[in-house]
Amino acid sequence: MPAGTPSSKGGRDKLLSTALIAVFASTIAAAALPFLAQPAPASWPYILGSVLLQCGYFVLVARIYHVADMSLAYPVMRGAAPLLVALASIILLHESLSPPAVLGIAIICTGVLGMAAAGRGGDSRGLPLALLNAVMIASYTLVDGVGVRLSGAPAGYAFWIFLLTGLPFLAWALARRRQDFAAYLARHAGMGLIGGIGTSASYGLALWAMTLAPVATVSALRETSILFGTAISGLVLHERLGRNRIAAAGLIAAGAMVLRLG
């Protein structure tokens, strides 16, 4: 579902920002689903598994952006994920890796290590969480790579995930922070709408692409968003990037592009 949800970094309350984006994506899905072909029954275990993994992803995103700069956490968790997907797809999905793919993995590893080294001077608490979230991203990507192919209806499959992922966050917001959530919605509805549309569009397109191309290839191609995430962290959030972080982010994106050629 998500592509790192950098918009959640822009709000003052990270968990409410995350919930807001998830709820908007869920609302968009609820409006669209009656007009879409429905996924085959064989894909439903994968839908439910993906929802559980993506809820965990969202919670980790909120925690990561609370303790670490986006310019550090976002490239690490998004850059390590295609590496994990590529390796796991060899074993689980029986996809083979070409020489360009191996080179791309090596470049991504170098970039991730460089990003980690660049963040040593600041608060590094978010780095282990970012790596854990890379595992979550890789897990739901692999689950969805199988599930969307079984569904026979990529759009329906995607929007059911968006709908079901947003419901737990809505329930939590109403049960635990009803007044805070209502006030936050009034102040940041535009951010939530943009985040919900961006999340739905980016991951929906990725799921459709997984029905046409290897999962590892699609996962790697998505990670060109690392450059946009790093740019947002500097230009919008006014974080200090430094030459080392910029170079490391460029390496991760370049590795993802080389992996795409594989």
Side-chain angles (χ1 to χ4, degrees), residues 23 166-178:
V23 168
L167 292 180
F169 283 96
L170 178 60
W172 167 82
L174 294 178
R176 300 292 298 273
R177 302 184 63 180
R178 182 189 300 267

Side-chain angles (χ1 to χ4, degrees), residues 153-219:
Y157 181 95
F159 278 99
W160 271 111
I161 288 176
F162 302 152
L163 174 62
L164 296 177
T165 301
L167 292 180
F169 283 96
L170 178 60
W172 167 82
L174 294 178
R176 300 292 298 273
R177 302 184 63 180
R178 182 189 300 267
Q179 293 183 344
D180 291 341
F181 185 71
Y184 205 77
L185 174 62
R187 292 196 304 270
H188 300 289
M191 179 197 73
L193 178 60
I194 293 172
I197 292 173
T199 294
S200 301
S202 63
Y203 199 57
L205 288 172
L207 287 176
W208 170 75
M210 287 178 192
T211 66
L212 305 174
V215 175
T217 298
V218 176
S219 174

Side-chain angles (χ1 to χ4, degrees), residues 96-143:
S96 60
L97 290 178
S98 65
V102 174
L103 176 60
I105 289 172
I107 295 173
I108 288 172
C109 288
T110 302
V112 170
L113 291 174
M115 186 64 67
R120 284 181 182 172
D123 192 338
S124 60
R125 289 178 298 166
L127 184 57
L129 290 176
L131 292 173
L132 176 60
N133 225 13
V135 175
M136 299 292 284
I137 294 167
S139 297
Y140 74 65
T141 299
L142 290 166
V143 167

